[in-house]
Amino acid sequence: MAEMRSPAIVLRGRDYREADRLVTLLTRDAGKVTVVARGTKKTKSKFSALVEPLTLGHFLLRRGKSLDTLIQGEIIKPYNSLRKDLLLFTYAQYFCEVCERSLPENEPAVPVFTLLLTALETLETEADSARVARCFELNLLDELGFRPVLDACCTCGTATGPFLFTPGHGGLLCGHCPREPGSFPVSGATVAIMQRFLDQGFHRLAVCNVSPAANEEIRKVCAGIFRDSLGVAQLKTLSFLKTMESI
Ligand SMILES: [Zn+2]
């Protein structure tokens, strides 16, 4: 079987057989892959830290028909600063979970790999973690081919608001067009922030002011598209984040 060497980030790990772990990686070169990491259930294994979720490393894998096998690897960055803070760690795990749930296996996804790393790097320094999350969600949807249509009503084409957002169509709906089930209002300010996030990514994110109301609207827009277009809903980390933020 062929071997592959690639940088990758660990999205998820779970116990497998008596002593092994089954690890989901987002590799730079082959997208999402599932890997058997032999013996890593034991804490004294030399690879047990390497296969912890959120670890960025160099991985050497033996490719298999359905599962790959970890041969060798080394940690590039364990993101310790994110692990020390429960809220930051939960946001980082949320980024990993949404990638794990929305990416197909074994399809190269270099832009998503780069986006996830940029989001984690930004999370380490950015004061407003929710703002990082909203920017990440929108840009991930864009990379997956589900960029929301934000320049005009997706039914009649008018650029004059106020608008609703309709997750089923992935775009705006003006007040004159028939209301779609599941649609909800979005303010002009929210639409402008979403366009800025999509056009500029994480560049100068700190100067972009996102009110709590706009944050909530963007969260609903993204959650609606993930649910209706990708079938990704009920993320464990997202419900935990909501609980933490309401305390
Ligand atoms: Zn319309």
Side-chain angles (χ1 to χ4, degrees):
M1 282 288 179
E3 291 181 354
M4 176 180 75
R5 191 183 297 273
S6 175
I9 184 144
V10 180
L11 300 180
R12 182 181 174 211
R14 54 230 185 260
D15 290 342
Y16 182 64
R17 298 189 296 221
E18 206 168 303
D20 305 338
R21 300 270 291 162
L22 205 54
V23 180
T24 307
L25 300 178
L26 176 55
T27 67
R28 186 192 60 194
D29 300 338
K32 187 177 87 172
V33 299
T34 306
V35 177
V36 180
R38 296 199 198 288
T40 50
K41 212 166 137 183
K42 299 171 198 150
T43 48
K44 63 185 177 201
S45 159
K46 63 177 176 172
F47 292 139
S48 59
L50 174 71
V51 297
E52 277 292 310
L54 198 63
T55 302
L56 173 66
H58 285 299
F59 290 80
L60 176 61
L61 309 175
R62 183 179 302 113
R63 306 307 311 268
K65 272 188 190 149
S66 58
L67 295 174
D68 297 348
T69 306
L70 174 65
I71 302 172
Q72 191 61 258
E74 62 181 37
I75 294 172
I76 301 171
K77 185 171 181 178
Y79 288 103
N80 283 332
S81 63
L82 298 178
R83 291 176 199 276
K84 283 183 209 151
D85 181 302
L86 183 59
L87 186 64
L88 288 181
F89 186 49
T90 311
Y91 268 108
Q93 287 185 305
Y94 165 59
F95 296 172
C96 290
E97 186 182 8
V98 73
C99 285
E100 199 259 333
R101 293 276 304 273
S102 53
L103 287 170
E105 292 250 351
N106 292 308
E107 283 188 21
V110 178
V112 177
F113 177 79
T114 307
L115 176 68
L116 177 58
L117 289 195
T118 309
L120 294 175
E121 300 288 330
T122 310
L123 196 59
E124 286 188 301
T125 55
E126 167 65 43
D128 182 350
S129 304
R131 181 166 51 191
V132 182
R134 302 296 85 83
C135 186
F136 171 72
E137 290 163 339
L138 280 167
N139 282 281
L140 180 60
L141 286 170
D142 187 22
E143 294 297 349
L144 295 171
F146 296 98
R147 183 186 177 110
V149 179
L150 300 171
D151 50 352
C153 172
C154 60
T155 301
C156 72
T158 182
T160 308
F163 290 109
L164 301 171
F165 186 82
T166 168
H169 291 315
L172 301 177
L173 203 58
C174 78
H176 301 291
C177 287
R179 191 168 177 155
E180 296 279 335
S183 56
F184 52 87
V186 283
S187 72
T190 297
V191 171
I193 294 166
M194 290 195 286
Q195 283 170 325
R196 187 246 180 251
F197 282 175
L198 284 163
D199 291 343
Q200 297 182 41
F202 294 97
H203 180 64
R204 289 170 56 80
L205 190 69
V207 299
C208 183
N209 185 33
V210 182
S211 69
N215 176 64
E216 182 56 23
E217 286 180 359
I218 301 170
R219 194 195 59 72
K220 269 179 87 174
V221 164
C222 294
I225 303 175
F226 275 113
R227 183 192 61 230
D228 290 2
S229 298
L230 287 146
V232 173
Q234 295 178 320
L235 287 99
K236 280 182 274 180
T237 46
L238 193 58
S239 48
F240 187 52
L241 272 174
K242 278 190 211 157
T243 312
M244 287 181 77
E245 286 174 337
S246 64
I247 292 169

